[in-house]
Amino acid sequence: MDDIDRQIVICLGEDCRRSLADIGGAVGLSTSAVNERIRRLAAAGVIRRFTVDADPEALGRGIAAFVFVGLAADADEAAFRAVAAGHPDIVECQHVTGGWNYLIKIRVGSLAGIEAFLDGFKRRRLIARSETMIALSTVVEPPFRPKGEAT
Amino acid sequence: MDDIDRQIVICLGEDCRRSLADIGGAVGLSTSAVNERIRRLAAAGVIRRFTVDADPEALGRGIAAFVFVGLAADADEAAFRAVAAGHPDIVECQHVTGGWNYLIKIRVGSLAGIEAFLDGFKRRRLIARSETMIALSTVVEPPFRPKGEAT
DNA sequence: GCTGAAAGAGGTGATAG
DNA sequence: CTATCACCTCTTTCAGC
């Protein structure tokens, strides 16, 4: 993990379809050397996956909201995590410090989708209370990768 | 934007280096058709970029925190947005409903990095008050894409 | 760990159906 | 949209430093 590795990861983050020769020119290495480094970075898990950043709006998930979640005292936290991990609306779910237990970011198609999301969790008694903040506009956002079963 | 387009985007989200023939086999189309659709999706902005999901820990940004930001009444909001957009620590910055103005997610290498981040913004009078929640563990997280040299 | 060259896979863009 | 083909860039490998 030297400085050239970092440059390569940044390069790939901007456009992972650039040719090895191109990247080599940018970082001052031959194609073979770049190829070997990328292989190593992927094998080591520094690069987790080659993916795309998609437009949530175009995929029917134009509304983002942050939901703070409080679990019940006797909550099955493992069950909550399992459901959250597989939930199609959830873009991010972090266990956090402070008065709430989890901070969840969801992406849905409409405001009704937010209500449906909360209903689903509350009906299954996975969360006890929540507070929701809706995103009005975006200044910076990480890549969006749609979930789903795609053989 | 039909169902096959959606499947293709999901496919590419899982591994954007799969061959066109592979994807064609998965969605039931020829390589030519898949090639044409991907070109169209990229041109239309449904696919914004081909990128990588990297491991923040390996890149010295193992700590995630959420910072709620309140701007001063006379704040220069455009300046705040410009600085946020280019800030290397900021992974996400959304204008949100509720008592705070912005919700920012940062990734830094240490707790000291959080303090330095807050100091930087407060010294420049870009934010008036803030509240910080630190991520203890991650259940779901979007792709992480390291930013280039401070620009 | 790197280079450079050679071999091979796969993307690209045409064709016709 | 499918099927095929020729073209050709890019990836991959390997000998050698």
Side-chain angles (χ1 to χ4, degrees), chain A residues 48 53 92 95 105 136, chain B residues 48 53 92 95 105 136:
Chain A
R48 292 166 170 161
D53 176 17
E92 179 160 17
H95 189 201
K105 178 185 173 187
L136 299 170
Chain B
R48 293 167 170 161
D53 176 18
E92 180 159 15
H95 189 200
K105 178 185 174 189
L136 299 170

Side-chain angles (χ1 to χ4, degrees), chain A residues 10 29 39 43 46 53 65 67 69 73 77 85 89-90 93 98 103 107 111 135 141 147 150:
Chain A
I10 291 170
L29 286 176
R39 202 195 52 72
V46 176
D53 176 17
V67 181
V69 163
E77 195 159 343
D89 294 347
I90 294 182
C93 176
L103 171 49
R107 277 215 157 264
L111 293 179
E141 187 163 34
K147 293 184 179 179

Side-chain angles (χ1 to χ4, degrees), chain B residues 17-89:
Chain B
R17 293 214 295 189
R18 285 179 68 178
S19 74
L20 299 175
D22 249 22
I23 299 170
V27 305
L29 253 55
S30 68
T31 67
S32 327
V34 173
N35 188 30
E36 179 56 26
R37 278 172 181 260
I38 293 178
R39 172 193 313 290
R40 229 178 16 77
L41 289 167
V46 176
I47 296 173
R48 293 167 170 161
R49 76 189 331 147
F50 292 82
T51 184
V52 293
D53 176 18
D55 177 14
E57 178 76 43
L59 292 162
R61 297 193 175 274
I63 295 181
F66 295 89
V67 181
F68 300 88
V69 163
L71 303 180
D74 62 342
D76 182 351
E77 195 159 344
F80 168 80
R81 282 183 174 242
V83 172
H87 199 291
D89 294 347

Side-chain angles (χ1 to χ4, degrees), chain A residues 88-105:
Chain A
D89 294 347
I90 294 182
V91 171
E92 179 160 17
C93 176
Q94 304 267 8
H95 189 201
V96 290
T97 60
W100 299 95
N101 298 116
Y102 288 88
L103 171 49
I104 292 176
K105 178 185 173 187

Side-chain angles (χ1 to χ4, degrees), chain B:
Chain B
M1 208 41 225
D2 61 4
D3 213 58
I4 293 182
D5 280 340
R6 264 179 283 273
Q7 280 185 54
I8 290 176
V9 175
I10 291 169
C11 252
L12 293 174
E14 286 166 358
D15 178 8
C16 75
R17 293 214 295 189
R18 285 179 68 178
S19 74
L20 299 175
D22 249 22
I23 299 170
V27 305
L29 253 55
S30 68
T31 67
S32 327
V34 173
N35 188 30
E36 179 56 26
R37 278 172 181 260
I38 293 178
R39 172 193 313 290
R40 229 178 16 77
L41 289 167
V46 176
I47 296 173
R48 293 167 170 161
R49 76 189 331 147
F50 292 82
T51 184
V52 293
D53 176 18
D55 177 14
E57 178 76 43
L59 292 162
R61 297 193 175 274
I63 295 181
F66 295 89
V67 181
F68 300 88
V69 163
L71 303 180
D74 62 342
D76 182 351
E77 195 159 344
F80 168 80
R81 282 183 174 242
V83 172
H87 199 291
D89 294 347
I90 294 183
V91 171
E92 180 159 15
C93 177
Q94 304 268 7
H95 189 200
V96 290
T97 60
W100 299 96
N101 297 118
Y102 286 89
L103 170 48
I104 292 176
K105 178 185 174 189
I106 61 176
R107 277 214 158 264
V108 291
S110 63
L111 294 179
I114 300 178
E115 194 171 21
F117 171 82
L118 292 172
D119 278 353
F121 269 81
K122 287 187 172 158
R123 184 171 308 107
R124 278 181 276 185
R125 308 250 184 269
L126 290 169
I127 70 178
R129 62 194 195 288
S130 71
E131 187 174 317
T132 302
M133 291 166 44
I134 296 169
L136 299 170
S137 71
T138 299
V139 182
V140 182
E141 187 163 34
F144 173 70
R145 184 169 88 75
K147 292 186 179 179
E149 305 306 292
T151 313

Side-chain angles (χ1 to χ4, degrees), chain A residues 1 62 97 112 139:
Chain A
M1 211 40 227
T97 60
V139 182

